[in-house]
Every structure is written in C-alpha cells, then in structure tokens.
Amino acid sequence: MARITSHRPDDHEDATDASPGDGLSQEVAVSAPPAPPAHLQDLTDRARSYVEAASSANTRRAYAADWKHFSAWCRRQGLSPFPPDPQVVGLYITACASGTAERGTRPNTVSTIERRLSAIGWNCAQRGVPLDRRDRHIATVLAGIRNRHAAPPRQKEAILPEDLLAMLETLDRGTLRGLRDRAMLLIGFAGGLRRSEITGLDLGRDQTEDGRGWIEIFDKGALATLRGKTGWREVEIGRGSSDATCPVAALETWIKFARIAKGPLFRRVTGKGKDVGPDRLNDQEVARLVKKTALAAGVRGDLSEAERAERFAGHSLRAGLASSAEVDERHVQKQLGHASAEMTRRYQRRRDRFRINLTKAAGL
C-alpha cells in the first residue's frame, strides 16, 4: 500500500488553493525551479496567457473549484494534497462516490468524479509533479465506481420549431434586450451552436482576444467561423422563410439598433435596458435565456416547473435543430461540428430509430 503523507502545518497552503492558469507561478511544497531572469518576464507572462488559452474559462473555473474541494477534503482528514499520493486520491474519489466527501451532500455522479480527477491531474501537472492515474489505487477504484454507479446520460429536452416560435413570442421586440435575446435564440437554433459559440462571436475577424469566432452576413445568409476543440469550422446559417422567424434578419436588427460596429456581437444591455455595454455576455446567459423563455412559453407544460427548469439548457437549441432538420444526416453532423454520425444521433430526439430493421433484413 502507498504511504499516506500527513498534512504538515508548514505546508504551503496557497499552493493547494491555486486556480488553474496560475500553474506557472505557484510556490509548492516541493523544490521549485528558480524564477526566470527579469529579461524573460515578458515571455513568462505570455506563456501564462497561452496556458490559460489551452482550456476554456468554464473548464478553468471547474478545475479550480474541484482542486479546492480536494484540498479541503485532505485538510479535514489531516492529509496533504500535494505532492499527489495515489492512495489519497483513491480514498478521495471513494468519498465522492459514497457522498461522504462533504457533509450534507449527495454522492457525486461518475462524470463529476471523472472531472474532479482530471482537475487534480491538471493542477498537479502545472506544479511539475504529474499524477499517475494508472496507479492501482486510482484506476481500480475508478473502474469499480464506474461499474457500480455509471448511468445513461441525462439528455436535455430538445427545443422544437413550434417551441421556439412560442418562446420568441415571450420576448419584447420593442426593447434592446428583447432584440438581443431573439437573435441569440434564432442564431443558436439555426446554427446548432454551443452556448459558448453564441456568446463568443465577434462582428468581424481578429477583433478581440477572447473571441471564439466571427460572423459574416451575405444576401443569402450568414457565415459563422468558429474555433472549437478540434480546430476551426464554418457554419452556414441560411435566411428563413419570413423575417419573423429569420435568424439573419434578427441578427441584422440587433446589430442595427444596438449600434455595434466592432467587437463582441452579444453584449450586456445596461441603463435599464436602454444602452448596450462593451462587455461580452457570459455563456451561462444563454442557458438562463432558454430556461426562462421555455418556462414563460409553457413548453412541456405537463411537467412541474422544477422539472421543466431542469430539462432545458443551452444544448436544447442544438438538440432541437438535430431533431427537426429533415435533411441527410451528414448535413446535420457538419452543422453541429460532430466527428461522428453516432454523436449526431444522440442529439436527435425524434428520429425513426427503426428505419433500418435488421430483424426483417435477417429474414425473420
């Protein structure tokens, strides 16, 4: 069995509470390399910015919270979170799976435990001491957790076209916020965009450092150029059959009345709804918008309000397009940026699952 290291009072506490992105500058309870010479400070700062760019802001926030959770659990047990001890990590994920990692909390799901484990590995790697996830104290325990607690993923409800139209009717077309929200819902649906892709759009190329892409408007539609996990991709968004439901017309109206000439496309509306600020919207605002308008429109009224709030999120727009577009599956796959048709099928909530009947094909 691996030796468990007790938490010592003189351990560097600030090393255990560090957030991702600060990994190049953290002091830790092990010998650290000397600080770079002063004339390399500019390169050090630039390298730190590249470290942050390697993962999304949401991932960094989640990793920071998970590392804090692990460090707090270690301190309560009188253990040291660093350097990484596989046996300690194995006991921690066991506590997460059993609901004893923190008082008054439920057992973590398998996906949450896997994310916490990734966060621990990421933070340890940033401190120069990698975590060996193949160690039996981690790998075997995690395999057992998966076998006992893994469950099918809970998919978000798809926003279908009739749902989207009802949701749009709940928005005030006479306000800047209403025009913005209308454009976000329509562009998100027609483009099959992730919420971070919606709020990451700029009005043009190379206009901001934190942008994830840009939009170009043509006579026949709009072209969104997006940076994703696997590189750049282009998403064509055609004009609708009427201005009332056209995502490109909604986008043009928002740009015109918001007087946006450069920079982030979807921004905060300030001054009691009369002004448009310079700041980009947080991507969680898309999830809140979908939930709010779905509830207001009475979508899935057969469910309780709490259930409906749980069923809808930003991914509901992507699932809605995948479930509604009656075209060859490969076109939907390309629009959503999926590497495989199987992933696209997971988004299709109302496809004919028995279109290909192998039972009859086999002669039965």
Side-chain angles (χ1 to χ4, degrees):
M1 298 290 286
R3 178 174 61 85
I4 298 179
T5 305
S6 297
H7 180 72
R8 300 183 301 276
D10 58 345
D11 281 340
H12 292 263
E13 294 291 342
D14 58 344
T16 65
D17 287 339
S19 62
D22 294 333
L24 294 176
S25 62
Q26 293 303 319
E27 296 180 349
V28 296
V30 294
S31 58
H39 70 278
L40 295 180
Q41 185 59 47
D42 182 62
L43 287 178
T44 301
D45 294 340
R46 188 176 295 272
R48 186 178 295 111
S49 71
Y50 285 145
V51 169
E52 293 185 353
S55 55
S56 69
N58 285 340
T59 298
R60 295 196 299 273
R61 282 193 292 267
Y63 278 9
D66 288 336
W67 179 256
K68 184 176 181 181
H69 188 269
F70 171 62
S71 301
W73 178 85
C74 287
R75 286 195 291 269
R76 288 195 297 271
Q77 312 309 316
L79 303 173
S80 174
F82 194 86
D85 186 322
Q87 187 176 358
V88 170
V89 176
L91 293 175
Y92 167 70
I93 62 176
T94 299
C96 290
S98 60
T100 61
E102 194 173 3
R103 181 177 298 177
T105 59
R106 297 179 180 178
N108 289 159
T109 63
V110 173
S111 61
T112 297
I113 293 172
E114 290 177 334
R115 190 201 66 221
R116 293 195 192 282
L117 191 54
S118 295
I120 295 170
W122 194 96
N123 277 274
C124 289
Q126 298 310 302
R127 291 163 172 78
V129 184
L131 173 69
D132 183 9
R133 291 185 55 167
R134 294 173 297 180
D135 185 283
R136 63 188 179 90
H137 294 102
I138 298 176
T140 307
V141 171
L142 182 60
I145 290 173
R146 286 171 175 157
N147 286 340
R148 180 168 294 184
H149 299 296
R154 294 181 180 274
Q155 295 181 318
K156 295 300 181 181
E157 194 87 10
I159 295 294
L160 302 178
E162 57 269 25
D163 301 326
L164 182 60
L165 294 178
M167 291 161 62
L168 294 174
E169 289 301 317
T170 68
L171 301 174
D172 187 352
R173 300 189 188 188
T175 66
L176 286 170
R177 184 174 286 108
L179 295 178
R180 181 201 66 192
D181 292 350
R182 185 180 187 84
M184 285 201 300
L185 287 176
L186 284 167
I187 287 291
F189 180 92
L193 304 183
R194 299 175 178 87
R195 66 188 195 189
S196 59
E197 293 173 338
I198 298 172
T199 58
L201 285 171
D202 289 340
L203 193 58
R205 180 171 183 164
D206 300 331
Q207 292 186 345
T208 64
E209 291 186 359
D210 64 339
R212 293 176 59 92
W214 67 92
I215 197 85
E216 297 173 87
I217 299 178
F218 304 97
D219 290 340
K220 293 185 177 181
L223 178 65
T225 304
L226 306 166
R227 184 180 69 239
K229 295 180 180 179
T230 58
W232 291 91
R233 67 188 179 96
E234 292 183 339
V235 174
E236 296 91 1
I237 302 174
R239 291 188 181 270
S241 55
S242 70
D243 286 347
T245 59
C246 176
V248 183
L251 185 60
E252 289 174 323
T253 301
W254 159 246
I255 293 172
K256 175 182 176 181
F257 285 96
R259 298 180 180 179
I260 298 175
K262 184 179 179 181
L265 182 59
F266 294 115
R267 311 177 181 196
R268 297 194 175 279
V269 175
T270 60
K272 296 182 179 181
K274 297 181 179 180
D275 301 309
V276 177
D279 298 331
R280 185 186 308 278
L281 277 183
N282 185 291
D283 65 348
Q284 293 188 8
E285 292 296 330
V286 177
R288 296 189 185 102
L289 172 62
V290 172
K291 289 177 185 289
K292 181 186 72 174
T293 53
L295 288 172
V299 180
R300 286 304 306 271
D302 56 309
L303 303 175
S304 69
E305 186 168 323
E307 289 176 317
R308 290 160 65 204
E310 182 67 25
R311 293 281 188 99
F312 295 102
H315 255 57
S316 296
L317 298 174
R318 281 167 63 81
L321 177 71
S323 303
S324 307
E326 298 181 357
V327 296
D328 191 294
E329 192 175 72
R330 59 192 171 90
H331 297 303
V332 180
Q333 179 183 340
K334 178 181 180 296
Q335 190 82 343
L336 270 61
H338 289 154
S340 67
E342 180 58 35
M343 177 58 72
T344 301
R345 294 187 190 108
R346 295 182 188 179
Y347 282 73
Q348 295 172 328
R349 304 292 192 263
R350 60 179 187 183
R351 64 185 174 88
D352 184 1
R353 296 177 179 273
F354 302 101
R355 181 173 59 85
I356 299 176
N357 191 325
L358 293 182
T359 305
K360 291 182 179 179
L364 298 180

